[in-house]
Amino acid sequence: MSSILDWFTSSKASETERHEKRSGKSRRRTVSEPTPMDVDGDEGHHSRCSRCKDVIAVSHPDTSPIYFYHRGKPFYEFTNFSLHSVEYEGKIYPTAEHLFQAFKFMTTDSRLAEHIRTQPSARTARDEAGSHREHQRHDWFDVNVEVMDVVLYAKFTQHVDLREQLLGTGERELIEDSSDDSFWGIGRNGQGKNELGKALMRLRSRLRDSQ
């Protein structure tokens, strides 16, 4: 009898021990490991979480101004000198600058306008137009901003990559960083009118509204 009792007692003890071990394991599983946020706080977590970085980037978009003008630098494509041809009324203009300068003579001297269109570079087109200023339309300085709007619309709608690049600037201010032009750019003292930048921002709004 005593041997049976000893066996039963031993068996219960073993069963209790096994139960405690299982309970102990179960309890250990309910204790979570410290997370990066527990250890380092919010900053430590966010600094390592790529998803959080994406959320933060969306929540806090870049609002710094975009300066464009210099060849080889970001957003040079926004200048009229970039090598993006523009079609207007059935004719191809090598750059937006060619078209803009030709506009000065379209209603006064069509042959001169054509001469401007066929110049080998944007710079020579601008210089040729400047050397024939006496033949440009008399109201040029009343309509030149409106003409720029027409030229830019043609350029950015005919080149999908430029359109997407412009829309991708969000609400950032666009500034032509030209020290030589205080009308289309900001001039030497940085206080110019920046009319080209303003025209691009108007176009950006127009393209966004048409989506």
Side-chain angles (χ1 to χ4, degrees), residues 133-150:
R133 190 165 297 168
E134 68 275 13
H135 298 295
Q136 72 184 24
R137 53 188 295 176
H138 69 277
D139 63 345
W140 176 247
F141 294 107
D142 295 325
V143 301
N144 59 349
V145 172
E146 181 181 347
V147 168
M148 184 64 80
D149 287 339
V150 172

Side-chain angles (χ1 to χ4, degrees), residues 108-177:
T108 58
D109 191 331
S110 59
R111 286 181 298 181
L112 186 51
E114 182 65 10
H115 174 67
I116 299 299
R117 184 183 74 85
T118 58
Q119 289 302 299
S121 71
R123 188 171 299 279
T124 56
R126 184 192 64 184
D127 292 345
E128 277 296 296
S131 67
H132 294 87
R133 190 165 297 168
E134 68 275 13
H135 298 295
Q136 72 184 24
R137 53 188 295 176
H138 69 277
D139 63 345
W140 176 247
F141 294 107
D142 295 325
V143 301
N144 59 349
V145 172
E146 181 181 347
V147 168
M148 184 64 80
D149 287 339
V150 172
V151 171
L152 293 178
Y153 182 82
K155 175 183 176 179
F156 282 82
T157 56
Q158 291 173 25
H159 296 277
V160 177
D161 57 330
L162 295 183
R163 179 180 182 276
E164 294 306 313
Q165 185 180 20
L166 180 60
L167 288 173
T169 61
E171 295 297 331
R172 298 172 69 182
E173 184 180 9
L174 305 179
I175 300 174
E176 188 192 49
D177 191 23

Side-chain angles (χ1 to χ4, degrees), residues 12-28:
K12 289 294 289 181
S14 298
E15 182 178 351
T16 301
E17 183 178 356
R18 287 196 300 272
H19 176 71
E20 288 176 349
K21 287 182 178 179
R22 286 198 299 269
S23 299
K25 289 181 181 179
S26 175
R27 284 195 298 272
R28 283 195 295 272

Side-chain angles (χ1 to χ4, degrees), residues 16 43 66 75 79 85 90 92 105 112 135 152 158 175:
T16 301
E43 286 188 17
I66 291 175
F75 300 101
T79 72
S85 61
I92 302 295
F105 311 101
L112 186 51
H135 298 295
L152 293 178
Q158 291 173 25
I175 300 174

